[in-house]
Amino acid sequence: MAASSISIVCTLRYVDRTASGWYTPRSVIRVNFSRSNELYQRALRVIPGGVNSPVRAFKSVGGNPVFISRGEGAYLLDEDGNRFIDYVCSWGPLILGHAHPKVIEAVCEAARHGTSFGAATAREVELAEMITQAVSSIEKVRLVNSGTEAVMSAIRVARGYTGRTKIIKFEGCYHGHADPLLAKAGSGVATFGLPDSAGVPAGVTADTIVLRYNDTEGVRQAISQYGNEIACVVVEPVAGNMGVVPPTKEFLTCLRELCDKHGIVLIFDEVITGFRVAFGGAQELFGVRADMTCLGKILGGGLPVGAYGGKREIMDVVAPTGPVYQAGTLSGNPLAVAAGIATLRALQEPGFYQRLERTAARLEQELTTIARGLDVPVHCNRVGSMMTLFFTPGPVTDYASARTSDTNRYAQFFRGMLERGVYLAPSQFEAAFVSAAHSDTEIDYTLEKAAEVLASMREIDSES
Ligand code: HOZ
Protein backbone atom coordinates (compact mmCIF):
# COMPACT_ATOMS: atom_id res chain seq x y z
CA MET A 1 0.00 0.00 0.00
CA ALA A 2 1.36 3.42 -0.86
CA ALA A 3 2.27 5.24 2.31
CA SER A 4 0.44 8.32 1.02
CA SER A 5 -2.84 6.48 1.44
CA ILE A 6 -2.11 5.54 5.04
CA SER A 7 -3.72 7.88 7.46
CA ILE A 8 -2.16 7.47 10.89
CA VAL A 9 -4.98 8.40 13.19
CA CYS A 10 -4.32 8.77 16.86
CA THR A 11 -5.75 10.45 19.89
CA LEU A 12 -3.96 13.65 20.65
CA ARG A 13 -4.62 16.08 23.40
CA TYR A 14 -4.91 19.32 21.53
CA VAL A 15 -3.52 22.53 22.87
CA ASP A 16 -4.99 25.98 22.80
CA ARG A 17 -3.57 29.47 23.04
CA THR A 18 -3.74 31.17 26.43
CA ALA A 19 -3.68 34.83 27.31
CA SER A 20 0.07 34.55 27.86
CA GLY A 21 0.45 33.76 24.17
CA TRP A 22 1.55 30.11 24.47
CA TYR A 23 -0.50 26.96 24.31
CA THR A 24 -1.94 24.71 26.98
CA PRO A 25 -3.55 21.26 26.88
CA ARG A 26 -7.27 21.33 26.07
CA SER A 27 -9.63 18.69 24.80
CA VAL A 28 -8.89 15.30 23.30
CA ILE A 29 -9.33 15.26 19.52
CA ARG A 30 -8.56 12.88 16.67
CA VAL A 31 -5.75 13.84 14.36
CA ASN A 32 -3.95 12.29 11.45
CA PHE A 33 -0.74 12.72 9.52
CA SER A 34 -2.23 12.39 6.04
CA ARG A 35 -0.87 15.66 4.65
CA SER A 36 2.60 14.90 6.08
CA ASN A 37 2.46 11.45 4.49
CA GLU A 38 1.46 12.96 1.17
CA LEU A 39 4.29 15.50 1.30
CA TYR A 40 6.73 12.75 2.23
CA GLN A 41 5.80 10.78 -0.89
CA ARG A 42 6.38 13.87 -3.01
CA ALA A 43 9.65 14.58 -1.21
CA LEU A 44 10.90 11.02 -1.77
CA ARG A 45 10.72 11.60 -5.51
CA VAL A 46 12.94 14.69 -5.48
CA ILE A 47 14.96 14.73 -2.24
CA PRO A 48 17.26 11.86 -1.11
CA GLY A 49 15.36 9.97 1.57
CA GLY A 50 12.72 12.71 1.43
CA VAL A 51 14.66 14.87 3.90
CA ASN A 52 17.36 17.53 3.77
CA SER A 53 19.34 16.02 6.64
CA PRO A 54 19.34 12.31 7.57
CA VAL A 55 18.40 12.78 11.25
CA ARG A 56 15.08 14.27 10.16
CA ALA A 57 13.94 10.94 8.73
CA PHE A 58 12.12 8.70 11.19
CA LYS A 59 14.04 5.62 10.04
CA SER A 60 15.25 4.52 13.46
CA VAL A 61 11.94 5.15 15.24
CA GLY A 62 9.44 4.08 12.57
CA GLY A 63 6.80 6.05 10.70
CA ASN A 64 7.21 8.98 8.39
CA PRO A 65 8.62 12.43 9.10
CA VAL A 66 6.16 15.05 10.25
CA PHE A 67 6.13 18.10 7.98
CA ILE A 68 6.21 21.28 10.00
CA SER A 69 4.37 24.43 8.98
CA ARG A 70 5.03 26.74 11.94
CA GLY A 71 6.69 27.11 15.30
CA GLU A 72 5.37 29.17 18.20
CA GLY A 73 7.11 29.33 21.57
CA ALA A 74 7.51 25.77 22.84
CA TYR A 75 5.26 24.38 20.10
CA LEU A 76 5.51 23.04 16.58
CA LEU A 77 2.49 22.96 14.27
CA ASP A 78 2.44 20.49 11.40
CA GLU A 79 0.84 20.51 7.96
CA ASP A 80 -2.13 18.50 9.29
CA GLY A 81 -2.82 21.09 11.98
CA ASN A 82 -1.41 19.01 14.87
CA ARG A 83 0.53 20.74 17.62
CA PHE A 84 3.46 19.31 19.50
CA ILE A 85 5.50 20.43 22.46
CA ASP A 86 8.92 20.59 20.86
CA TYR A 87 12.06 19.21 22.52
CA VAL A 88 14.15 19.25 19.33
CA CYS A 89 14.18 23.06 19.07
CA SER A 90 15.73 22.84 15.59
CA TRP A 91 18.48 20.62 17.08
CA GLY A 92 19.54 23.24 19.58
CA PRO A 93 19.43 26.80 18.21
CA LEU A 94 16.03 27.79 19.61
CA ILE A 95 16.91 28.38 23.24
CA LEU A 96 14.28 31.17 23.29
CA GLY A 97 11.63 28.98 21.64
CA HIS A 98 10.13 29.36 18.18
CA ALA A 99 9.49 32.74 16.58
CA HIS A 100 10.63 34.75 19.57
CA PRO A 101 9.25 38.27 18.97
CA LYS A 102 12.60 40.02 19.45
CA VAL A 103 14.40 37.69 17.05
CA ILE A 104 11.67 37.98 14.41
CA GLU A 105 11.64 41.75 14.72
CA ALA A 106 15.44 41.90 14.33
CA VAL A 107 15.37 39.66 11.24
CA CYS A 108 12.55 41.62 9.59
CA GLU A 109 14.25 44.91 10.31
CA ALA A 110 17.54 43.60 8.86
CA ALA A 111 15.79 42.14 5.79
CA ARG A 112 14.31 45.50 4.90
CA HIS A 113 17.88 46.75 4.36
CA GLY A 114 18.93 43.84 2.16
CA THR A 115 19.58 40.12 2.59
CA SER A 116 23.26 39.89 1.72
CA PHE A 117 26.06 42.24 0.73
CA GLY A 118 29.15 40.03 0.54
CA ALA A 119 30.91 42.93 2.26
CA ALA A 120 31.79 44.01 5.79
CA THR A 121 29.01 45.33 8.07
CA ALA A 122 28.83 47.10 11.44
CA ARG A 123 26.60 44.38 12.88
CA GLU A 124 29.05 41.57 12.24
CA VAL A 125 31.64 43.51 14.27
CA GLU A 126 29.07 43.86 17.05
CA LEU A 127 28.37 40.11 17.03
CA ALA A 128 32.10 39.29 17.00
CA GLU A 129 32.57 41.58 20.00
CA MET A 130 29.69 39.91 21.81
CA ILE A 131 31.30 36.50 21.18
CA THR A 132 34.68 37.59 22.50
CA GLN A 133 33.01 39.02 25.61
CA ALA A 134 31.00 35.83 26.21
CA VAL A 135 33.86 33.35 25.68
CA SER A 136 37.03 34.86 27.08
CA SER A 137 39.37 32.37 25.35
CA ILE A 138 38.20 33.75 21.99
CA GLU A 139 40.26 36.80 21.09
CA LYS A 140 39.43 36.79 17.39
CA VAL A 141 36.57 35.08 15.61
CA ARG A 142 35.55 34.39 12.01
CA LEU A 143 31.87 33.95 11.12
CA VAL A 144 30.90 31.13 8.77
CA ASN A 145 27.59 29.50 7.82
CA SER A 146 27.32 26.27 9.80
CA GLY A 147 28.88 24.19 12.55
CA THR A 148 30.35 21.89 9.91
CA GLU A 149 32.18 24.81 8.31
CA ALA A 150 33.33 26.08 11.70
CA VAL A 151 35.01 22.82 12.74
CA MET A 152 36.36 22.05 9.28
CA SER A 153 37.98 25.50 9.21
CA ALA A 154 39.29 25.30 12.79
CA ILE A 155 41.07 22.06 11.98
CA ARG A 156 42.66 23.56 8.89
CA VAL A 157 43.83 26.50 10.98
CA ALA A 158 45.22 24.22 13.70
CA ARG A 159 47.12 22.26 11.07
CA GLY A 160 48.40 25.44 9.43
CA TYR A 161 49.43 26.91 12.77
CA THR A 162 51.27 23.85 14.08
CA GLY A 163 52.53 22.47 10.76
CA ARG A 164 51.32 19.04 11.92
CA THR A 165 48.74 16.76 10.32
CA LYS A 166 47.24 14.31 12.84
CA ILE A 167 44.10 15.09 14.77
CA ILE A 168 42.44 13.41 17.74
CA LYS A 169 38.67 13.07 17.98
CA PHE A 170 36.41 10.96 20.19
CA GLU A 171 34.08 8.10 19.37
CA GLY A 172 30.45 9.20 19.21
CA CYS A 173 31.31 12.89 18.97
CA TYR A 174 29.98 14.57 15.85
CA HIS A 175 31.62 17.64 14.41
CA GLY A 176 29.63 18.07 11.23
CA HIS A 177 30.11 16.23 7.99
CA ALA A 178 33.57 17.35 6.86
CA ASP A 179 35.52 14.36 5.51
CA PRO A 180 38.30 13.98 8.14
CA LEU A 181 35.71 13.96 10.94
CA LEU A 182 33.42 11.28 9.59
CA ALA A 183 35.15 8.58 11.59
CA LYS A 184 33.13 6.81 14.30
CA ALA A 185 30.95 9.89 14.42
CA GLY A 186 27.77 10.48 16.39
CA SER A 187 24.42 12.03 15.39
CA GLY A 188 22.95 10.60 12.16
CA VAL A 189 26.08 8.49 11.60
CA ALA A 190 25.41 6.75 14.94
CA THR A 191 21.65 6.65 14.36
CA PHE A 192 22.10 4.70 11.14
CA GLY A 193 24.93 2.57 12.57
CA LEU A 194 27.48 3.68 9.98
CA PRO A 195 31.07 3.22 11.16
CA ASP A 196 32.25 5.72 8.53
CA SER A 197 30.82 7.32 5.41
CA ALA A 198 31.15 6.02 1.87
CA GLY A 199 32.76 8.62 -0.33
CA VAL A 200 35.41 9.52 2.22
CA PRO A 201 38.72 8.10 0.95
CA ALA A 202 40.64 6.14 3.61
CA GLY A 203 43.57 8.54 3.11
CA VAL A 204 41.46 11.45 4.32
CA THR A 205 40.75 9.89 7.71
CA ALA A 206 44.19 8.25 7.98
CA ASP A 207 45.39 11.14 10.14
CA THR A 208 42.34 11.05 12.39
CA ILE A 209 42.99 9.21 15.66
CA VAL A 210 39.71 8.16 17.29
CA LEU A 211 39.73 7.64 21.06
CA ARG A 212 37.15 6.79 23.73
CA TYR A 213 35.31 9.76 25.28
CA ASN A 214 36.23 10.35 28.94
CA ASP A 215 39.21 7.97 28.61
CA THR A 216 42.11 10.05 29.92
CA GLU A 217 44.50 7.10 29.83
CA GLY A 218 43.77 6.51 26.12
CA VAL A 219 44.55 10.15 25.40
CA ARG A 220 47.80 10.00 27.38
CA GLN A 221 48.92 6.93 25.44
CA ALA A 222 48.04 8.37 22.01
CA ILE A 223 49.79 11.62 22.78
CA SER A 224 52.88 9.91 24.14
CA GLN A 225 53.02 7.89 20.92
CA TYR A 226 52.25 10.65 18.37
CA GLY A 227 52.64 13.87 20.41
CA ASN A 228 54.73 15.93 18.00
CA GLU A 229 52.63 14.89 14.98
CA ILE A 230 49.30 15.95 16.49
CA ALA A 231 47.92 19.32 15.39
CA CYS A 232 44.77 19.35 17.50
CA VAL A 233 42.41 17.55 19.80
CA VAL A 234 38.80 18.29 18.89
CA VAL A 235 36.13 17.48 21.44
CA GLU A 236 32.54 18.24 22.33
CA PRO A 237 33.09 19.41 25.94
CA VAL A 238 29.67 17.92 26.67
CA ALA A 239 28.93 15.28 24.07
CA GLY A 240 25.52 15.89 22.55
CA ASN A 241 25.58 13.69 19.48
CA MET A 242 25.67 10.21 21.07
CA GLY A 243 22.90 11.42 23.31
CA VAL A 244 24.10 13.70 26.09
CA VAL A 245 27.28 12.46 27.78
CA PRO A 246 28.91 14.82 30.30
CA PRO A 247 32.68 14.96 30.60
CA THR A 248 34.38 13.95 33.79
CA LYS A 249 36.19 16.88 35.35
CA GLU A 250 39.52 15.05 34.90
CA PHE A 251 38.87 14.47 31.20
CA LEU A 252 38.77 18.13 30.16
CA THR A 253 41.52 19.10 32.60
CA CYS A 254 43.74 16.31 31.30
CA LEU A 255 43.14 17.38 27.69
CA ARG A 256 44.14 20.92 28.62
CA GLU A 257 47.35 19.80 30.39
CA LEU A 258 48.44 17.40 27.65
CA CYS A 259 47.78 19.92 24.86
CA ASP A 260 49.81 22.55 26.73
CA LYS A 261 52.65 20.13 27.28
CA HIS A 262 52.83 18.95 23.66
CA GLY A 263 52.02 22.16 21.76
CA ILE A 264 48.69 20.75 20.54
CA VAL A 265 45.74 23.04 19.78
CA LEU A 266 42.76 22.17 21.97
CA ILE A 267 39.54 22.76 20.02
CA PHE A 268 36.23 22.76 21.86
CA ASP A 269 33.33 22.12 19.54
CA GLU A 270 30.73 24.21 21.35
CA VAL A 271 28.29 24.24 18.46
CA ILE A 272 25.70 22.71 20.81
CA THR A 273 27.00 23.80 24.23
CA GLY A 274 27.88 27.39 23.26
CA PHE A 275 25.37 29.76 24.94
CA ARG A 276 23.43 26.61 25.95
CA VAL A 277 24.99 25.27 29.16
CA ALA A 278 26.02 28.79 30.24
CA PHE A 279 26.38 32.10 28.41
CA GLY A 280 30.11 31.36 28.13
CA GLY A 281 29.40 27.73 27.16
CA ALA A 282 31.08 24.67 28.61
CA GLN A 283 34.29 26.64 29.17
CA GLU A 284 32.49 28.84 31.67
CA LEU A 285 30.68 25.89 33.25
CA PHE A 286 33.77 23.71 33.74
CA GLY A 287 36.44 26.40 34.01
CA VAL A 288 38.62 24.91 31.27
CA ARG A 289 39.80 27.16 28.43
CA ALA A 290 40.16 26.00 24.85
CA ASP A 291 42.71 27.34 22.36
CA MET A 292 40.04 27.41 19.68
CA THR A 293 36.25 27.26 19.95
CA CYS A 294 33.62 26.39 17.36
CA LEU A 295 30.16 27.86 17.64
CA GLY A 296 26.90 27.66 15.69
CA LYS A 297 23.22 26.93 16.44
CA ILE A 298 22.18 29.41 19.20
CA LEU A 299 24.63 31.97 17.78
CA GLY A 300 22.37 32.32 14.73
CA GLY A 301 19.06 32.37 16.62
CA GLY A 302 17.63 29.84 14.13
CA LEU A 303 19.32 31.16 11.00
CA PRO A 304 22.32 29.44 9.38
CA VAL A 305 25.51 30.48 11.15
CA GLY A 306 28.77 29.15 12.49
CA ALA A 307 31.90 30.69 13.98
CA TYR A 308 35.40 29.64 14.90
CA GLY A 309 37.76 31.64 17.02
CA GLY A 310 40.48 31.50 19.59
CA LYS A 311 43.82 32.91 20.59
CA ARG A 312 44.97 35.88 18.55
CA GLU A 313 48.24 34.26 17.48
CA ILE A 314 46.38 31.22 16.16
CA MET A 315 43.63 33.17 14.39
CA ASP A 316 46.22 35.43 12.74
CA VAL A 317 47.22 32.55 10.46
CA VAL A 318 43.84 32.92 8.71
CA ALA A 319 43.79 34.72 5.33
CA PRO A 320 44.11 37.58 4.55
CA THR A 321 46.39 38.05 7.60
CA GLY A 322 48.02 34.65 7.25
CA PRO A 323 48.44 31.72 4.86
CA VAL A 324 45.44 29.50 5.83
CA TYR A 325 42.63 30.04 3.35
CA GLN A 326 38.99 30.08 4.37
CA ALA A 327 36.16 32.07 2.78
CA GLY A 328 32.38 32.27 2.27
CA THR A 329 29.97 34.27 0.09
CA LEU A 330 27.27 34.44 2.78
CA SER A 331 29.53 34.51 5.85
CA GLY A 332 28.39 37.16 8.33
CA ASN A 333 25.00 37.19 6.61
CA PRO A 334 23.07 40.23 7.88
CA LEU A 335 19.90 38.31 8.74
CA ALA A 336 21.78 35.62 10.67
CA VAL A 337 23.86 38.23 12.45
CA ALA A 338 20.75 40.23 13.41
CA ALA A 339 19.06 37.08 14.77
CA GLY A 340 22.23 36.20 16.66
CA ILE A 341 22.57 39.62 18.29
CA ALA A 342 18.91 39.63 19.35
CA THR A 343 19.26 36.12 20.79
CA LEU A 344 22.45 36.83 22.72
CA ARG A 345 20.90 40.00 24.17
CA ALA A 346 17.90 38.05 25.45
CA LEU A 347 20.20 35.45 27.02
CA GLN A 348 21.87 38.15 29.09
CA GLU A 349 18.68 39.03 30.93
CA PRO A 350 19.16 38.42 34.66
CA GLY A 351 18.19 34.93 35.82
CA PHE A 352 17.83 33.49 32.31
CA TYR A 353 20.02 30.43 32.84
CA GLN A 354 18.77 29.85 36.39
CA ARG A 355 15.17 29.65 35.12
CA LEU A 356 16.16 27.30 32.31
CA GLU A 357 18.07 25.10 34.77
CA ARG A 358 15.02 24.84 37.07
CA THR A 359 12.73 23.79 34.22
CA ALA A 360 15.16 21.24 32.82
CA ALA A 361 16.06 19.82 36.25
CA ARG A 362 12.39 19.26 37.03
CA LEU A 363 11.84 17.44 33.73
CA GLU A 364 14.88 15.23 34.29
CA GLN A 365 14.13 14.38 37.91
CA GLU A 366 10.43 13.68 37.52
CA LEU A 367 10.85 11.73 34.28
CA THR A 368 13.45 9.51 35.91
CA THR A 369 11.27 9.00 38.98
CA ILE A 370 8.27 8.06 36.83
CA ALA A 371 10.26 5.56 34.75
CA ARG A 372 11.91 3.94 37.76
CA GLY A 373 8.55 3.79 39.55
CA LEU A 374 7.26 1.82 36.59
CA ASP A 375 10.34 -0.45 36.59
CA VAL A 376 11.49 0.78 33.20
CA PRO A 377 15.29 0.88 33.37
CA VAL A 378 16.44 4.33 32.32
CA HIS A 379 19.36 6.63 32.83
CA CYS A 380 19.00 10.35 32.18
CA ASN A 381 22.10 12.42 31.44
CA ARG A 382 21.60 16.17 31.68
CA VAL A 383 23.80 19.23 31.57
CA GLY A 384 21.75 22.41 31.90
CA SER A 385 18.96 22.41 29.34
CA MET A 386 20.28 19.54 27.22
CA MET A 387 19.45 15.97 28.21
CA THR A 388 18.96 12.41 26.98
CA LEU A 389 16.86 9.62 28.45
CA PHE A 390 18.72 6.38 27.74
CA PHE A 391 16.85 3.09 28.04
CA THR A 392 19.59 1.42 30.03
CA PRO A 393 20.28 1.41 33.77
CA GLY A 394 23.48 3.32 32.96
CA PRO A 395 25.80 4.93 33.71
CA VAL A 396 26.38 6.35 30.23
CA THR A 397 29.87 7.78 30.02
CA ASP A 398 30.99 7.08 26.45
CA TYR A 399 29.80 5.81 23.08
CA ALA A 400 29.96 2.12 24.06
CA SER A 401 27.75 2.66 27.12
CA ALA A 402 25.40 4.91 25.10
CA ARG A 403 24.97 2.03 22.69
CA THR A 404 23.74 -0.24 25.50
CA SER A 405 20.50 1.77 25.40
CA ASP A 406 17.56 -0.24 24.08
CA THR A 407 16.81 1.67 20.87
CA ASN A 408 13.59 -0.29 20.30
CA ARG A 409 12.32 1.06 23.59
CA TYR A 410 13.36 4.55 22.60
CA ALA A 411 11.40 4.11 19.36
CA GLN A 412 8.29 3.02 21.31
CA PHE A 413 8.70 5.97 23.64
CA PHE A 414 9.19 8.37 20.74
CA ARG A 415 6.08 7.16 18.90
CA GLY A 416 3.94 7.16 22.02
CA MET A 417 4.96 10.71 22.82
CA LEU A 418 4.47 11.90 19.24
CA GLU A 419 0.96 10.47 19.21
CA ARG A 420 0.26 12.42 22.39
CA GLY A 421 1.61 15.72 21.08
CA VAL A 422 5.23 15.69 22.24
CA TYR A 423 7.95 15.93 19.60
CA LEU A 424 11.28 14.32 20.60
CA ALA A 425 14.37 13.74 18.48
CA PRO A 426 13.72 10.84 16.12
CA SER A 427 16.87 9.11 17.38
CA GLN A 428 18.18 7.83 20.69
CA PHE A 429 21.59 9.36 19.96
CA GLU A 430 20.60 13.00 20.17
CA ALA A 431 19.87 15.57 22.87
CA ALA A 432 16.49 16.87 23.98
CA PHE A 433 16.51 20.64 24.44
CA VAL A 434 14.44 22.70 26.85
CA SER A 435 13.87 26.32 25.84
CA ALA A 436 12.85 29.42 27.77
CA ALA A 437 9.39 29.00 26.25
CA HIS A 438 8.87 25.68 28.07
CA SER A 439 6.90 26.52 31.20
CA ASP A 440 5.54 24.31 33.97
CA THR A 441 2.43 23.79 31.82
CA GLU A 442 4.44 22.09 29.08
CA ILE A 443 6.53 20.12 31.56
CA ASP A 444 3.38 18.93 33.41
CA TYR A 445 1.83 17.78 30.16
CA THR A 446 5.04 16.06 29.02
CA LEU A 447 5.38 14.20 32.33
CA GLU A 448 1.74 13.10 32.29
CA LYS A 449 2.11 11.71 28.77
CA ALA A 450 5.50 10.14 29.52
CA ALA A 451 3.89 8.28 32.43
CA GLU A 452 1.17 6.96 30.11
CA VAL A 453 3.65 5.87 27.43
CA LEU A 454 6.12 4.27 29.85
CA ALA A 455 3.28 2.41 31.58
CA SER A 456 2.04 1.10 28.24
CA MET A 457 5.58 0.00 27.34
CA ARG A 458 5.78 -1.95 30.60
CA GLU A 459 2.47 -3.64 29.82
CA ILE A 460 3.77 -4.70 26.40
CA ASP A 461 6.91 -6.06 28.11
CA SER A 462 4.93 -8.11 30.61
CA GLU A 463 2.68 -9.54 27.87
CA SER A 464 5.60 -10.66 25.69
N1 HOZ B 1 24.09 18.37 15.21
C1 HOZ B 1 22.76 18.13 14.76
C2 HOZ B 1 22.30 16.77 15.18
N2 HOZ B 1 22.89 16.35 16.34
C3 HOZ B 1 22.66 18.37 13.33
C4 HOZ B 1 21.33 18.20 12.77
C5 HOZ B 1 21.41 17.52 11.46
O1 HOZ B 1 22.36 16.77 11.20
O2 HOZ B 1 20.49 17.73 10.69
Side-chain angles (χ1 to χ4, degrees), residues 62-325:
N64 295 339
V66 176
F67 282 66
I68 303 303
S69 60
R70 280 172 65 189
E72 293 186 1
Y75 290 85
L76 281 176
L77 291 87
D78 75 6
E79 289 283 348
D80 288 283
N82 305 312
R83 286 195 180 98
F84 307 92
I85 299 174
D86 179 21
Y87 289 99
V88 177
C89 293
S90 191
W91 305 93
L94 302 181
I95 193 166
L96 302 177
H98 292 272
H100 188 279
K102 290 204 170 130
V103 177
I104 299 304
E105 193 187 303
V107 172
C108 292
E109 195 268 328
R112 276 191 282 275
H113 293 92
T115 54
S116 182
F117 312 120
T121 65
R123 282 217 182 105
E124 67 187 8
V125 183
E126 188 182 343
L127 184 59
E129 286 168 350
M130 286 175 101
I131 294 169
T132 58
Q133 278 152 21
V135 185
S136 63
S137 66
I138 301 181
E139 292 174 324
K140 281 193 177 181
V141 62
R142 174 62 68 82
L143 296 180
V144 292
N145 299 288
S146 68
T148 293
E149 256 189 75
V151 186
M152 180 183 84
S153 309
I155 283 172
R156 187 182 304 144
V157 169
R159 283 174 161 162
Y161 174 73
T162 58
R164 303 171 178 177
T165 51
K166 290 197 188 304
I167 63 176
I168 288 180
K169 81 170 280 285
F170 297 91
E171 231 181 333
C173 284
Y174 176 74
H175 305 288
H177 62 91
D179 286 359
L181 296 161
L182 282 180
K184 298 203 175 132
S187 192
V189 185
T191 304
F192 302 115
L194 306 169
D196 302 297
S197 169
V200 177
V204 176
T205 50
D207 287 316
T208 306
I209 300 167
V210 185
L211 303 175
R212 196 153 63 83
Y213 195 78
N214 274 330
D215 177 11
T216 50
E217 205 31 55
V219 182
R220 265 183 228 290
Q221 277 173 21
I223 291 184
S224 76
Q225 192 175 351
Y226 299 108
N228 56 8
E229 294 173 65
I230 298 170
C232 60
V233 171
V234 58
V235 65
E236 290 182 81
V238 175
N241 287 289
M242 51 176 134
V244 171
V245 177
T248 61
K249 175 76 180 153
E250 312 78 71
F251 182 56
L252 296 183
T253 311
C254 165
L255 293 183
R256 182 63 280 166
E257 284 168 9
L258 290 170
C259 286
D260 282 342
K261 191 163 162 209
H262 295 269
I264 296 167
V265 176
L266 178 59
I267 303 175
F268 274 9
D269 176 346
E270 297 227 42
V271 169
I272 292 180
T273 53
F275 308 105
R276 165 66 61 184
V277 297
F279 190 63
Q283 296 177 58
E284 178 185 322
L285 188 68
F286 299 112
V288 177
R289 284 165 76 84
D291 299 311
M292 295 188 77
T293 302
C294 300
L295 297 166
K297 297 199 191 270
I298 289 174
L299 179 64
L303 273 83
V305 95
Y308 68 95
K311 287 183 177 164
R312 184 168 288 110
E313 66 181 69
I314 298 178
M315 291 303 289
D316 279 344
V317 304
V318 179
T321 320
V324 175
Y325 200 72

